[in-house]
Amino acid sequence: QVQMKESGGGSVQPGGSLRLSCRVSGYIFSSYCMGWFRQAPGKEREGVVGIDNDGGRTYYADSVKGRFTVSQDYGENSLYLQMNNLRPEDTAIYYCATDGPFRCSQWNYWGAYKTWGQGTQVTVSE
Protein backbone atom coordinates (compact mmCIF):
# COMPACT_ATOMS: atom_id res chain seq x y z
CA GLN A 1 0.00 0.00 0.00
CA VAL A 2 1.38 3.35 -1.04
CA GLN A 3 1.54 5.99 1.64
CA MET A 4 2.68 9.57 1.45
CA LYS A 5 3.25 11.96 4.30
CA GLU A 6 4.04 15.64 4.04
CA SER A 7 5.78 17.72 6.66
CA GLY A 8 7.46 21.08 7.00
CA GLY A 9 4.52 23.44 6.76
CA GLY A 10 4.08 26.37 9.10
CA SER A 11 3.60 30.10 9.40
CA VAL A 12 6.09 32.61 8.03
CA GLN A 13 6.21 36.27 7.19
CA PRO A 14 6.29 37.48 3.59
CA GLY A 15 9.75 36.99 2.15
CA GLY A 16 10.40 34.00 4.36
CA SER A 17 11.22 30.41 3.41
CA LEU A 18 9.96 26.93 4.13
CA ARG A 19 11.01 23.48 3.02
CA LEU A 20 8.32 20.88 2.60
CA SER A 21 9.09 17.18 2.67
CA CYS A 22 7.10 14.24 1.35
CA ARG A 23 8.06 10.74 2.41
CA VAL A 24 6.78 7.97 0.17
CA SER A 25 6.49 4.37 1.27
CA GLY A 26 5.30 1.24 -0.46
CA TYR A 27 6.02 2.70 -3.87
CA ILE A 28 8.56 2.28 -6.63
CA PHE A 29 9.85 5.80 -6.34
CA SER A 30 11.32 5.98 -9.79
CA SER A 31 8.04 5.56 -11.61
CA TYR A 32 6.19 8.22 -13.49
CA CYS A 33 5.43 11.75 -12.41
CA MET A 34 5.32 13.23 -8.96
CA GLY A 35 4.01 16.62 -8.04
CA TRP A 36 3.24 19.25 -5.46
CA PHE A 37 -0.18 20.84 -5.45
CA ARG A 38 -1.82 23.42 -3.25
CA GLN A 39 -5.34 24.43 -2.38
CA ALA A 40 -6.36 27.70 -0.80
CA PRO A 41 -9.77 28.16 0.85
CA GLY A 42 -12.49 28.53 -1.73
CA LYS A 43 -10.16 27.77 -4.61
CA GLU A 44 -9.46 24.77 -6.78
CA ARG A 45 -6.43 22.59 -6.21
CA GLU A 46 -3.64 23.86 -8.41
CA GLY A 47 -0.39 22.36 -9.59
CA VAL A 48 2.76 23.92 -8.18
CA VAL A 49 5.43 21.70 -9.67
CA GLY A 50 5.73 18.37 -11.43
CA ILE A 51 8.82 16.22 -11.74
CA ASP A 52 9.31 13.40 -14.18
CA ASN A 53 11.06 10.60 -12.33
CA ASP A 54 12.35 9.26 -15.64
CA GLY A 55 14.91 11.91 -16.44
CA GLY A 56 14.19 14.46 -13.76
CA ARG A 57 12.60 17.13 -15.95
CA THR A 58 10.66 19.64 -13.90
CA TYR A 59 7.63 21.79 -14.60
CA TYR A 60 6.69 24.84 -12.52
CA ALA A 61 3.62 26.99 -12.31
CA ASP A 62 4.38 30.51 -13.49
CA SER A 63 3.43 31.90 -10.10
CA VAL A 64 6.27 30.06 -8.34
CA LYS A 65 9.04 30.06 -10.97
CA GLY A 66 12.26 31.41 -9.56
CA ARG A 67 11.03 31.06 -5.97
CA PHE A 68 10.25 27.36 -5.51
CA THR A 69 12.56 24.42 -6.20
CA VAL A 70 11.66 20.74 -6.24
CA SER A 71 14.15 18.00 -5.47
CA GLN A 72 14.24 14.28 -4.78
CA ASP A 73 16.20 11.89 -2.63
CA TYR A 74 15.83 8.40 -4.03
CA GLY A 75 17.64 6.86 -1.10
CA GLU A 76 15.15 8.39 1.32
CA ASN A 77 12.19 7.93 -1.06
CA SER A 78 11.42 11.56 -0.47
CA LEU A 79 10.33 14.58 -2.44
CA TYR A 80 11.08 18.11 -1.30
CA LEU A 81 9.84 21.60 -2.09
CA GLN A 82 12.06 24.52 -1.16
CA MET A 83 9.95 27.66 -1.06
CA ASN A 84 11.70 31.04 -0.92
CA ASN A 85 10.45 34.60 -0.99
CA LEU A 86 7.02 33.46 0.12
CA ARG A 87 4.03 35.70 -0.51
CA PRO A 88 0.63 35.87 1.17
CA GLU A 89 -0.93 34.37 -1.96
CA ASP A 90 1.14 31.23 -1.37
CA THR A 91 -1.00 30.49 1.66
CA ALA A 92 -2.65 27.10 1.14
CA ILE A 93 -2.62 23.46 2.07
CA TYR A 94 0.19 21.82 0.15
CA TYR A 95 -0.12 18.24 -1.05
CA CYS A 96 2.34 15.88 -2.64
CA ALA A 97 1.08 13.44 -5.21
CA THR A 98 2.49 10.47 -7.04
CA ASP A 99 1.66 7.84 -9.60
CA GLY A 100 1.02 10.70 -11.95
CA PRO A 101 0.84 10.92 -15.73
CA PHE A 102 3.41 9.35 -18.02
CA ARG A 103 6.17 11.83 -18.87
CA CYS A 104 4.33 14.38 -16.72
CA SER A 105 1.88 15.20 -19.46
CA GLN A 106 -0.88 17.27 -17.84
CA TRP A 107 1.38 17.48 -14.79
CA ASN A 108 -0.76 20.27 -13.32
CA TYR A 109 -4.06 18.40 -13.52
CA TRP A 110 -4.85 16.96 -10.11
CA GLY A 111 -7.03 14.22 -11.59
CA ALA A 112 -4.00 12.68 -13.31
CA TYR A 113 -2.47 11.55 -10.01
CA LYS A 114 -3.59 8.45 -8.16
CA THR A 115 -2.03 8.81 -4.74
CA TRP A 116 -2.00 11.79 -2.40
CA GLY A 117 -0.66 12.80 0.97
CA GLN A 118 -2.82 14.34 3.68
CA GLY A 119 -1.46 17.84 3.15
CA THR A 120 0.46 20.37 5.21
CA GLN A 121 -0.63 23.94 5.92
CA VAL A 122 1.49 26.87 4.77
CA THR A 123 0.50 30.33 6.00
CA VAL A 124 2.24 33.50 4.88
CA SER A 125 1.22 36.64 6.73
CA GLU A 126 2.61 39.64 8.61
Side-chain angles (χ1 to χ4, degrees):
Q1 181 180 356
V2 178
Q3 291 186 325
M4 307 180 72
K5 183 173 177 59
E6 304 94 336
S7 60
S11 297
V12 296
Q13 293 184 332
S17 298
L18 285 172
R19 186 182 190 229
L20 305 183
S21 299
C22 175
R23 185 69 181 265
V24 183
S25 61
Y27 180 73
I28 301 174
F29 195 70
S30 60
S31 300
Y32 298 137
C33 186
M34 300 184 72
W36 285 99
F37 285 72
R38 66 186 181 186
Q39 188 165 19
K43 294 188 176 181
E44 292 187 357
R45 189 169 298 191
E46 64 171 348
V48 175
V49 60
I51 181 166
D52 184 356
N53 283 322
D54 185 8
R57 185 170 181 177
T58 56
Y59 306 83
Y60 290 92
D62 288 343
S63 59
V64 305
K65 282 181 181 177
R67 301 188 298 124
F68 290 12
T69 303
V70 67
S71 61
Q72 292 173 304
D73 185 329
Y74 286 98
E76 294 293 325
N77 262 13
S78 294
L79 185 71
Y80 304 100
L81 184 65
Q82 178 66 43
M83 305 186 295
N84 298 328
N85 193 20
L86 283 161
R87 305 168 179 169
E89 54 264 39
D90 295 318
T91 295
I93 299 174
Y94 283 70
Y95 301 88
C96 61
T98 192
D99 207 1
F102 180 68
R103 297 295 187 197
C104 277
S105 61
Q106 294 184 300
W107 70 268
N108 57 349
Y109 172 49
W110 62 267
Y113 295 78
K114 296 180 181 178
T115 305
W116 293 81
Q118 83 289 349
T120 185
Q121 176 71 46
V122 171
T123 303
V124 185
S125 63
E126 294 287 354

